[in-house]
Amino acid sequence: METPFAFITSPPTPTRSPSITIHNSHCLPSSQIINMPPMLPDFSNSVKLKYVKLGYQYLVNHIITLTLVPIMLGVSIEILRLGPQEILNLWNSLHFNLVQILCSAFLIIFVATVYFMSKPRTIYLVDYACFKPPVTCRVPFATFMEHSRLILKNNPKSVEFQMRILERSGLGEETCLPPAIHYIPPKPTMEAARGEAELVIFSAMDSLFKKTGLKPKDIDILIVNCSLFSPTPSLSAMVINKYKLRSNIKSFNLSGMGCSAGLISIDLARDLLQVHPNSNAVVVSTEIITPNYYQGNERAMLLPNCLFRMGGAAILLSNRRSERRRAKYRLVHVVRTHKGADDKAYRCVFEEEDKEGKVGISLSKDLMAIAGEALKSNITTMGPLVLPASEQLLFLLTLIGRKIFNPKWKPYIPDFKQAFEHFCIHAGGRAVIDELQKNLQLSTEHVEASRMTLHRFGNTSSSSLWYELNYIESKGRMKKGDRVWQIAFGSGFKCNSAVWKCNKTIKTPIDGPWTDCIDRYPVHIPEIVKL
Amino acid sequence: MATNNDNNNIVSYICKRTVVSTKPIEPGKYMTFSVLDRCMEKNHIRMVYYYQSSSTSLGEGEFGKMTKNLKETLSEMLNYYPMVTGRLVRDSEEKWKVKCNDAGVRVVEAKAKGSVEEWLKNVDSEKEHMLVYWEDMYHKPYYWSTFYVQITEFEEGGLAIGLSCFHLLADYTSATNFLKAWSDISLGNKITVLPLFHPLPSTRKRISNHHPYFELINHYKSSIERPIPIKEEKYTIISLGFSHQMVNACISKAQFNGPSGPITMTPFEALAGLFWASISNIKGLQNGLIDMSICLDARKVLGLDYGFFGNTMIYNKVHSNGNLEGNIFVQATRYIGEVVAKMDNEGIMDLIEWLEKNEMNSPKMINGPDLICVSLENVDPYLSVFQDWLKPLRVSCYIEPVLGEGQVLILPGTPEEGPLSRVVMVTLKEDEAIKLFEDDLISQFSPTIFMKC
């Protein structure tokens, strides 16, 4: 699918990641451009330019240190030259009186107080737990196709379509569907949906309590997000009832907000934790599949059946200073972008009834294009917050250059790999991950967490980011100081991202969802699995 | 006899689903069938096991929980049976083979009114068929499950597990071991009789310097040439239980003096002879015996482990010589004994060799128009004990379809009755079955009637 993915508001250009040689030659000052002899092999070219690029980055990123050091040196040399007597004379010549001194002191104290008061509280992610589905809920490809064939017996074309989707989906043979969907025909009753919600949410919460030693009575804020199942009383009330939480708890239930609702909940928790000091917030992200299994024939609506799977996560956030030591991550930024103002974006993931009156979620054909647009907006806001000065300068220079000198210059795509060590891209589908990998120029290892989560757990909607994070931890790649970027897309159309900074090097988890299978990963996922 | 309406109300189906193994299978595995498997292509087996719970504490909330536990343990057990979870495909020679694609087995959940004891007091074959689910092969066999499990919980206590399978894949011994493996896993133990998937003993290295056992081969040859009967008769199945003492009495009655002393029959030979004589009488033959074939499990004879998964049932015709005089029962038993003795390793290997050479003409339906007496005594189904449940109260078995004179299945009885006790399930036309109850030959051994017409 052609995806216009320009990073500057100019006519969309097809995305072809420019090679290092070409775009560097546009961005560096011309004095540094060597007339590249065309006979030199590409390798040597790129190595030379790599070092030039590194030098430039170091220069710009540490510009303050680099300018400060000579100044300090100069001042100290000057002082030494003057000698102690001269300095004393200089000091005596300054006439201070008491008022001036007091005023200056107060000013300094005032400024310091205002600074510390207005600094936002640090939000710590103490720990999180992902739901591990029971093995009896496993759905191999053959079983899925067989059920599909038995249920849609009058529509072999729809069955064919589902098979083609499944072949190319990037899912594995161990993804799980809730028990009610295993029946022929599926039995999506409300009772079954509640049953699934209880299974997923309570398992995740029990696991979280065990890991963190949190007592239910200590939860001050509870946010549950589940897009497609919203009973009365809400799922958050269900949690409060089960664990006997306090009566003055601040509970919220977010529904209808799509796969990016997980990060919206995190954002909400963050805002609440700014207002309430010394508090714990528990965020539960899940998607209940049972009531939403589409039983009709409309192709655009059959797609979610093939991709969505059971999953959930419970996260403990806190602003208590005491959690500083044991917290895994610190929340740095949350950036939310909503493209709902555009009609096409609004309608691209739409729940509606098909011709036979069956309700399903219809995905439009321009989904990838709209996702690209949303990502672009999000990155435009995110870039200045996270990119190092060198990248921002390059971006600025290219922007100025395109506007003033020559609009034909290739737009500079900032290198986000310098801002983050790990990427968690919502495992919405193989196409989403492929597109983002191409456009952010990520390596295979960067998107490994996303691809492997899609393979092992399928698209678990808002909780997939947490499975991906757990994958990275299980592989032992998370070190202190590493920065993680979580990106999620959702209906609306929304693109939300969160940036976390790792607070302490994380030991391989012993009780996560990946524990029993991490050694088998990464696996090679073929383009098409022959069914 | 209960009407259809009554029957419909007693057992209600809850749902149907597919249960898969817990570990994914490596794709690309196939399993082929042996010549003996292919003889059973037109048949399927149904078995029902009845259980009473071990504790009375299984109350209200437990309903459905037992089924859940059973499904979980079934999942685990299926890891050892990749052939069962696969699907049938045709190979290049248009013969069946199994693609191990991890699709799973169908499981049907049902519930029944009353308790299991009440049910067993007045059960008939029609009612019992409601406890074991079966679907005939679809137009597209790739989506057709070859094994079906039905779990029926009785509202006032008790459980019935129905297992049905395509005979091409498994015979009675394999199906019984399948259930035994499931029960082992449910108790948290390892499987005692692990399934073995390998071809039959090879016929290649045989030195054929003896006369092949032609009679057996001829029986199979005639089955190929005979067209499959399309009778639309209504059969009924009755079940009679013979206690240890009664079987002993039967054996001693069948005893005769051979050249080297008295020859004692096995329970199968004695009972098969008994029913052969009795049924021949009922069908109107005063001094003769109708056509009959016996069927034996050849695992032991072929030197195979009981875990061998597949078909090793061998059918052989027992000839009777026209008009008989004297005690028909004793003579019937003698004929059977002679044929059983001839079905030794050499004889069966001759048959396998012949079948392999004549692949194209494999018999499609081996149990033809004769009366068939099948020995199913080699495995003990009462060993299958599930967690929270006691030993099976009763085990029934059906090998379908029956298209000839009738069928006599001889199964082991409950262990409490003694090692020689047997349960005999007879398939006959309805009017003949009624006469069987009144037949003196049978009633002299005072069998317990488990299932009436």
Side-chain angles (χ1 to χ4, degrees):
Chain A
M1 224 181 272
E2 261 306 314
T3 316
F5 224 99
F7 280 74
I8 308 177
T9 50
S10 53
T13 49
T15 352
R16 293 283 163 255
S17 43
S19 68
I20 300 174
T21 41
I22 300 171
H23 88 237
N24 264 341
S25 67
H26 283 295
C27 301
L28 292 176
S30 45
S31 58
Q32 291 199 19
I33 302 293
I34 302 119
N35 277 330
M36 315 286 181
M39 305 310 281
L40 262 182
D42 245 329
F43 172 69
S44 152
N45 258 356
S46 47
V47 165
K48 269 195 198 151
L49 282 158
K50 190 171 125 187
Y51 282 119
V52 169
K53 199 171 182 225
L54 273 174
Y56 159 76
Q57 282 168 2
Y58 195 74
L59 177 73
V60 176
N61 291 339
H62 299 99
I63 194 87
I64 297 177
T65 331
L66 290 174
T67 41
L68 216 57
V69 164
I71 294 175
M72 294 290 290
L73 274 173
V75 166
S76 11
I77 291 172
E78 190 60 35
I79 290 176
L80 288 170
R81 201 166 58 79
L82 287 175
Q85 192 57 35
E86 284 284 332
I87 294 170
L88 220 57
N89 284 343
L90 205 64
W91 180 253
N92 287 333
S93 67
L94 290 168
H95 296 287
F96 284 133
N97 63 12
L98 198 61
V99 176
Q100 277 178 329
I101 295 173
L102 273 175
C103 282
S104 324
F106 276 132
L107 187 68
I108 294 171
I109 293 172
F110 180 67
V111 168
T113 316
V114 167
Y115 171 72
F116 279 113
M117 290 292 284
S118 64
K119 199 168 81 126
R121 289 186 224 269
T122 330
I123 309 296
Y124 298 107
L125 192 161
V126 179
D127 207 342
Y128 63 96
C130 295
F131 168 67
K132 173 112 193 275
V135 263
T136 48
C137 290
R138 185 171 85 90
V139 180
F141 286 162
T143 319
F144 184 87
M145 285 322 305
E146 206 168 276
H147 279 221
S148 186
R149 183 71 174 63
L150 293 172
I151 296 163
L152 294 173
K153 41 183 169 298
N154 300 325
N155 262 292
K157 279 210 173 2
S158 302
V159 178
E160 266 293 309
F161 175 72
Q162 283 195 310
M163 185 149 96
R164 273 186 278 126
I165 297 290
L166 208 57
E167 282 174 352
R168 292 163 178 74
S169 61
L171 263 68
E173 301 263 11
E174 292 181 84
T175 60
C176 297
L177 281 173
I181 305 300
H182 285 259
Y183 295 115
I184 305 169
K187 292 170 44 166
T189 58
M190 188 161 205
E191 199 188 322
R194 278 222 169 94
E196 184 193 342
E198 286 175 9
L199 173 67
V200 174
I201 297 178
F202 295 165
S203 307
M205 298 245 358
D206 288 339
S207 183
L208 183 68
F209 287 144
K210 199 162 133 210
K211 280 185 181 188
T212 55
L214 177 72
K215 303 245 176 346
K217 295 268 180 270
D218 289 337
I219 302 178
D220 303 293
I221 300 163
L222 174 69
I223 304 171
V224 177
N225 74 271
C226 169
S227 185
L228 296 164
F229 179 54
S230 185
T232 301
S234 64
L235 293 174
S236 58
M238 187 177 84
V239 173
I240 293 171
N241 169 261
K242 162 85 175 177
Y243 293 103
K244 314 286 178 240
L245 304 182
R246 292 197 328 251
S247 57
N248 62 350
I249 191 170
K250 298 199 173 15
S251 71
F252 298 85
N253 194 81
L254 301 175
S255 74
M257 301 194 91
C259 301
S260 57
L263 294 182
I264 296 177
S265 308
I266 300 284
D267 187 41
L268 179 61
R270 179 186 66 161
D271 290 342
L272 287 165
L273 287 171
Q274 300 300 336
V275 176
H276 301 288
N278 266 334
S279 303
N280 281 328
V282 171
V283 172
V284 179
S285 289
T286 182
E287 190 56 69
I288 304 300
I289 314 278
T290 307
N292 307 302
Y293 198 76
Y294 177 61
Q295 303 202 52
N297 299 312
E298 204 47 58
R299 281 192 203 185
M301 298 187 184
L302 282 170
L303 212 95
N305 280 4
C306 300
L307 300 176
F308 278 84
R309 297 288 183 264
M310 213 164 60
I315 303 111
L316 174 60
L317 298 169
S318 177
N319 58 8
R320 292 184 181 175
R321 297 272 300 168
S322 53
E323 303 287 13
R324 215 172 5 127
R325 293 223 181 280
R326 70 167 179 151
K328 280 187 171 176
Y329 300 93
R330 219 169 29 87
L331 182 58
V332 182
H333 300 289
V334 177
V335 174
R336 292 167 58 174
T337 318
H338 205 303
K339 303 301 275 179
D342 174 42
D343 284 341
K344 258 182 31 174
Y346 170 65
R347 289 203 73 99
C348 92
V349 179
F350 211 77
E351 187 182 13
E352 59 193 344
E353 286 171 357
D354 66 7
K355 291 192 221 69
E356 294 163 10
K358 300 207 177 101
V359 176
I361 299 159
S362 148
L363 303 175
S364 95
K365 290 204 170 28
D366 353 285
L367 182 62
M368 292 313 300
I370 292 165
E373 283 294 311
L375 181 70
K376 181 189 90 180
S377 296
N378 194 293
I379 286 181
T380 314
T381 321
M382 176 68 89
L385 294 173
V386 295
L387 286 170
S390 54
E391 292 294 314
Q392 299 202 37
L393 192 62
L394 276 176
F395 186 75
L396 186 67
L397 289 174
T398 335
L399 186 64
I400 294 172
R402 281 176 61 106
K403 285 272 190 288
I404 297 175
F405 299 122
N406 182 7
K408 289 222 185 71
W409 277 6
K410 287 249 166 54
Y412 178 64
I413 301 164
D415 188 7
F416 280 92
K417 296 196 283 290
Q418 289 185 39
F420 302 106
E421 276 73 40
H422 306 288
F423 294 79
C424 292
I425 302 167
H426 165 55
R430 198 188 201 148
V432 171
I433 304 175
D434 286 343
E435 274 305 311
L436 259 80
Q437 180 181 11
K438 196 167 66 167
N439 293 299
L440 295 174
Q441 295 168 42
L442 301 176
S443 71
T444 329
E445 201 179 296
H446 284 129
V447 292
E448 189 184 304
S450 309
R451 287 200 198 281
M452 297 307 129
T453 301
L454 184 63
H455 184 267
R456 173 65 180 84
F457 294 100
N459 178 352
T460 56
S461 186
S462 37
S463 49
S464 66
L465 298 170
W466 302 104
Y467 286 99
E468 293 172 21
L469 195 60
N470 202 277
Y471 177 86
I472 300 172
E473 291 179 12
S474 302
K475 279 288 189 190
R477 295 178 189 163
M478 194 61 80
K479 307 267 180 299
K480 178 170 174 160
D482 280 357
R483 292 153 300 174
V484 185
W485 188 15
Q486 291 184 321
I487 314 171
F489 297 97
S491 60
F493 195 84
K494 300 188 269 290
C495 176
N496 298 332
S497 39
V499 178
W500 303 88
K501 189 162 178 151
C502 182
N503 199 35
K504 56 171 189 169
T505 301
I506 294 172
K507 287 194 290 251
T508 318
I510 38 166
D511 53 356
W514 292 97
T515 331
D516 60 345
C517 57
I518 193 71
D519 298 318
R520 284 189 271 130
Y521 283 91
V523 289
H524 167 69
I525 304 174
E527 273 296 318
I528 301 178
V529 175
K530 204 63 202 89
L531 285 182
Chain B
M1 185 161 118
T3 59
N4 250 350
N5 260 341
D6 288 352
N7 283 350
N8 284 342
N9 286 336
I10 301 178
V11 178
S12 51
Y13 293 103
I14 302 174
C15 60
K16 177 164 75 162
R17 60 167 284 174
T18 310
V19 170
V20 301
S21 56
T22 56
K23 297 199 188 65
I25 295 183
E26 283 292 327
K29 271 173 69 176
Y30 288 85
M31 288 186 166
T32 50
F33 296 112
S34 70
V35 282
L36 292 178
D37 289 327
R38 281 194 269 277
C39 295
M40 309 305 299
E41 247 178 62
K42 294 285 177 220
N43 300 74
H44 57 272
I45 300 176
R46 287 194 213 227
M47 302 190 326
V48 184
Y49 283 60
Y50 292 95
Y51 290 90
Q52 181 61 277
S53 79
S54 60
S55 62
T56 45
S57 64
L58 293 170
E60 271 296 313
E62 303 298 320
F63 202 85
K65 198 171 169 191
M66 302 176 277
T67 312
K68 186 164 167 276
N69 285 342
L70 285 171
K71 284 189 293 194
E72 281 171 15
T73 44
L74 179 63
S75 258
E76 251 192 83
M77 182 271 274
L78 287 173
N79 283 327
Y80 297 91
Y81 287 88
M83 201 171 186
V84 170
T85 54
R87 292 290 180 263
L88 292 173
V89 290
R90 292 230 187 247
D91 68 5
S92 48
E93 296 164 17
E94 291 299 306
K95 285 194 251 176
W96 289 121
K97 64 178 179 186
V98 174
K99 180 175 180 187
C100 300
N101 66 353
D102 214 6
V105 301
R106 291 278 183 270
V107 171
V108 171
E109 294 169 45
K111 64 175 186 229
K113 293 205 182 86
S115 73
V116 71
E117 287 100 351
E118 276 169 39
W119 173 277
L120 287 174
K121 282 200 195 113
N122 46 18
V123 68
D124 59 29
S125 64
E126 213 174 300
K127 278 170 82 173
E128 202 160 66
H129 272 66
M130 289 183 356
L131 293 178
V132 56
Y133 187 76
W134 171 251
E135 280 173 5
D136 285 322
M137 195 189 283
Y138 298 161
H139 177 60
K140 284 219 171 128
Y142 191 58
Y143 301 110
W144 178 66
S145 173
T146 46
F147 272 68
Y148 294 85
V149 174
Q150 178 171 334
I151 303 173
T152 313
E153 285 185 17
F154 285 85
E155 280 174 3
E156 288 170 34
L159 179 76
I161 296 181
L163 173 68
S164 60
C165 67
F166 192 31
H167 216 309
L168 177 66
L169 274 85
D171 59 8
Y172 176 77
T173 311
S174 296
T176 310
N177 283 330
F178 180 82
L179 218 80
K180 173 80 174 49
W182 184 7
S183 65
D184 287 337
I185 299 265
S186 86
L187 291 170
N189 299 334
K190 284 202 146 82
I191 297 180
T192 38
V193 185
L194 273 173
L196 304 165
F197 303 94
H198 58 77
L200 292 171
S202 169
T203 53
R204 260 184 271 138
K205 293 190 192 143
R206 298 184 70 220
I207 314 157
S208 46
N209 56 356
H210 64 276
H211 291 293
Y213 182 23
F214 274 124
E215 277 147 13
L216 182 59
I217 294 173
N218 283 337
H219 177 66
Y220 274 75
K221 203 167 165 198
S222 59
S223 305
I224 303 168
E225 287 149 18
R226 196 192 317 123
I228 297 174
I230 329 167
K231 281 200 206 167
E232 278 295 327
E233 305 278 355
K234 182 120 180 19
Y235 291 92
T236 186
I237 301 140
I238 57 168
S239 176
L240 301 165
F242 292 86
S243 67
H244 180 103
Q245 294 87 334
M246 287 300 139
V247 175
N248 237 340
C250 184
I251 290 172
S252 45
K253 267 217 155 167
Q255 199 178 41
F256 64 95
N257 280 320
S260 45
I263 296 179
T264 327
M265 300 283 115
T266 62
F268 168 68
E269 289 159 2
L271 287 169
L274 179 73
F275 278 88
W276 189 11
S278 172
I279 292 170
S280 304
N281 190 17
I282 289 167
K283 286 188 189 272
L285 265 72
Q286 301 305 63
N287 286 326
L289 293 164
I290 54 171
D291 291 335
M292 200 269 272
S293 317
I294 55 167
C295 175
L296 304 174
D297 180 2
R299 275 180 179 75
K300 201 159 164 204
V301 168
L302 288 172
L304 294 168
D305 189 275
Y306 275 112
F308 174 76
F309 194 85
N311 280 283
T312 50
M313 305 300 276
I314 308 280
Y315 291 77
N316 202 355
K317 200 170 184 96
V318 183
H319 295 278
S320 70
N321 306 319
N323 266 342
L324 299 169
E325 311 210 337
N327 193 331
I328 297 183
F329 162 46
V330 175
Q331 293 194 49
T333 321
R334 262 182 82 175
Y335 291 140
I336 293 173
E338 281 164 14
V339 173
V340 170
K342 285 200 219 139
M343 286 168 77
D344 59 358
N345 189 309
E346 287 293 333
I348 296 176
M349 291 302 286
D350 288 333
L351 171 70
I352 295 172
E353 202 174 337
W354 184 86
L355 282 170
E356 283 171 359
K357 288 209 190 94
N358 294 282
E359 277 281 29
M360 285 299 118
N361 306 322
S362 300
K364 290 289 183 285
M365 181 121 180
I366 188 61
N367 49 342
D370 303 341
L371 174 71
I372 301 176
C373 292
V374 188
S375 161
L376 300 176
E377 310 155 290
N378 286 339
V379 270
D380 184 5
Y382 296 92
L383 293 174
S384 303
V385 179
F386 287 86
Q387 194 193 33
D388 291 337
W389 302 94
L390 302 168
K391 270 199 264 237
L393 288 172
R394 195 189 294 178
V395 173
S396 308
C397 174
Y398 302 83
I399 298 181
E400 295 169 345
V402 175
L403 295 171
E405 297 288 342
Q407 190 185 81
V408 176
L409 302 176
I410 297 171
L411 302 148
T414 49
E416 284 87 48
E417 300 276 329
L420 283 180
S421 65
R422 294 286 183 269
V423 171
V424 181
M425 296 191 70
V426 186
T427 309
L428 283 175
K429 297 198 194 67
E430 207 169 321
D431 48 343
E432 289 169 2
I434 298 172
K435 286 190 207 154
L436 196 68
F437 286 122
E438 294 147 17
D439 190 65
D440 289 328
L441 202 55
I442 307 270
S443 44
Q444 69 182 298
F445 297 107
S446 36
T448 336
I449 298 175
F450 287 139
M451 211 156 72
K452 285 200 269 274
C453 321

